[in-house]
Amino acid sequence: ETGVTQSPTHLIKTRGQQVTLRCSSQSGHNTVSWYQQALGQGPQFIFQYYREEENGRGNFPPRFSGLQFPNYSSELNVNALELDDSALYLCASSVKLIKIDDSPLHFGNGTRLTVT
Amino acid sequence: SQQGEEDPQALSIQEGENATMNCSYKTSINNLQWYRQNSGRGLVHLILIRSNEREKHSGRLRVTLDTSKKSSSLLITASRAADTASYFCATASDDYKLSFGAGTTVTVRA
């Protein structure tokens, strides 16, 4: 059983640029969530996708967007990067929606984004 | 803002000792989960306790939940060097997301 994989592992971008982060969900998982973790903080929920549709969003501006593909892989896109976007971005997959089922999240190791 | 607050922020113990950390939250929940994060890595799910449960065990882990006080505790018994990590509580409510606290950093000294 393959776990959650994320790419790239590290990324350096300049303020104002755009970035795309990628995630492959664990086999058999149909829900993917994205979290932002600033240094020394806990993860903050960005959004969740279920069957290719956004199914919940945290307190993040529209320049944070995502996609989920038929094979349940996912992308996180961030436009107009700001310095405060520097963080570890974590992808997590699960079997069902948390609201319906108590399914724990399986996290990837994240992408470390640095905005200069 | 974060739903959960862990206490203490940091904990240093000797190998073989027990480690206890607490989590308080603000709103009603469906379940509460604990995760571990080794430095610079992803989070690993440790244990889940539902809102109608009061205590749960998994190996060397013991979790309690007091919904009247909106609090939970995680006990790690007979700690090992490999337990050195950050520990996060996360609450699941009706809005599809897990809300994480800021974490407790545990250092186990050999």
Side-chain angles (χ1 to χ4, degrees):
Chain A
E1 175 179 273
T2 56
V4 178
T5 58
Q6 293 186 242
S7 63
T9 54
H10 295 83
L11 200 53
I12 300 174
K13 289 286 189 177
T14 303
R15 189 172 48 185
Q17 286 188 317
Q18 178 266 341
V19 69
T20 297
L21 310 181
R22 294 180 173 82
C23 171
S24 291
S25 298
Q26 184 160 324
S27 177
H29 287 186
N30 56 13
T31 301
V32 65
S33 304
W34 285 90
Y35 286 80
Q36 180 196 66
Q37 186 178 23
L39 203 60
Q41 299 295 316
Q44 295 284 320
F45 175 75
I46 302 175
F47 42 56
Q48 182 182 83
Y49 278 80
Y50 174 64
R51 293 184 175 175
E52 303 173 52
E53 290 191 3
E54 187 179 293
N55 189 53
R57 189 177 185 93
N59 191 25
F60 281 81
R63 60 188 184 85
F64 285 78
S65 62
L67 286 171
Q68 185 185 29
F69 300 102
N71 64 355
Y72 302 127
S73 64
S74 176
E75 287 182 355
L76 165 65
N77 299 289
V78 187
N79 295 322
L81 284 167
E82 300 177 359
L83 297 179
D84 284 348
D85 295 334
S86 295
L88 180 67
Y89 287 86
L90 295 162
C91 167
S93 70
S94 56
V95 175
K96 295 179 184 180
L97 297 176
I98 287 175
K99 183 176 182 177
I100 298 173
D101 187 77
D102 294 337
S103 176
L105 299 183
H106 296 254
F107 282 85
N109 283 327
T111 294
R112 174 72 62 187
L113 173 65
T114 302
V115 182
T116 62
Chain B
S1 62
Q2 301 193 271
Q3 156 83 309
E5 298 273 347
E6 285 94 343
D7 172 59
Q9 289 186 333
L11 187 57
S12 180
I13 55 174
Q14 200 76 27
E15 204 166 21
E17 293 181 339
N18 296 342
T20 300
M21 59 210 84
N22 304 296
C23 169
S24 60
Y25 56 92
K26 298 172 185 173
T27 62
S28 62
I29 61 172
N30 291 328
N31 67 65
L32 186 143
Q33 304 177 31
W34 286 89
Y35 287 80
R36 184 187 73 228
Q37 184 178 36
N38 292 93
S39 181
R41 310 274 291 179
L43 282 76
V44 174
H45 179 260
L46 296 176
I47 195 165
L48 180 154
I49 186 165
R50 293 183 173 83
S51 59
N52 60 355
E53 297 176 314
R54 291 297 168 257
E55 187 171 314
K56 202 161 183 179
H57 297 254
S58 176
R60 295 184 296 112
L61 305 179
R62 172 179 170 256
V63 169
T64 62
L65 179 65
D66 187 336
T67 53
S68 66
K69 295 181 179 178
K70 292 188 170 56
S71 67
S72 173
S73 68
L74 172 66
L75 167 68
I76 305 173
T77 60
S79 62
R80 307 166 180 169
D83 295 329
T84 294
S86 292
Y87 293 81
F88 295 90
C89 70
T91 54
S93 302
D94 286 338
D95 56 356
Y96 300 92
K97 68 181 182 184
L98 275 187
S99 296
F100 287 83
T104 293
T105 300
V106 175
T107 303
V108 181
R109 306 186 307 273

